[in-house]
Amino acid sequence: MGVANYLLFAVMILFLGMYCVITKKSLIKSAIGISIMVKGASLSFLAAGGTTAQVVVVLIIIVDAIVAAILLSLAVNVYRRTGSLDIESLRKLWG
């Protein structure tokens, strides 16, 4: 499998995550979509090759874990306040 195939697959994963973020109304499903987009970006870095790309991917994985933890804690707080994980319910929290 050549580099072009890996890059094509990475772009497909990136667009799948973007579709998930745009179309889903649940906060958890949007967080999963963001995580899928990060995985697509990581795959494109790995397809580029080199040791620098590997270091960048390790840092991306660390940052993705931190972002996932923050998004899940936000989801728990939104559910406690509104009783729903719908993104539209966040408007109730604004004043």
Side-chain angles (χ1 to χ4, degrees):
M1 236 171 128
V3 175
N5 290 336
Y6 286 119
L7 289 176
L8 178 66
F9 188 64
V11 168
M12 288 180 5
I13 291 175
L14 191 68
F15 281 124
L16 178 69
M18 192 177 305
Y19 173 77
C20 185
V21 168
I22 291 171
T23 60
K24 302 301 179 189
K25 298 294 181 189
S26 173
L27 195 60
I28 298 292
K29 291 178 183 176
S30 293
I32 291 171
I34 291 171
S35 180
I36 290 172
M37 287 184 352
V38 169
K39 301 302 186 247
S42 298
L43 182 61
S44 67
F45 273 113
L46 284 177
T51 56
T52 306
Q54 293 174 358
V55 171
V56 169
V57 168
V58 169
L59 291 175
I60 288 174
I61 290 171
I62 293 169
V63 170
D64 185 40
I66 293 169
V67 168
I70 291 171
L71 284 174
L72 290 176
S73 66
L74 176 69
V76 167
N77 283 329
V78 166
Y79 185 76
R80 284 183 186 167
R81 302 259 187 217
T82 63
S84 172
L85 288 176
D86 189 25
I87 292 178
E88 297 298 322
S89 65
L90 289 174
R91 292 186 182 168
K92 293 178 187 175
L93 298 177
W94 293 352

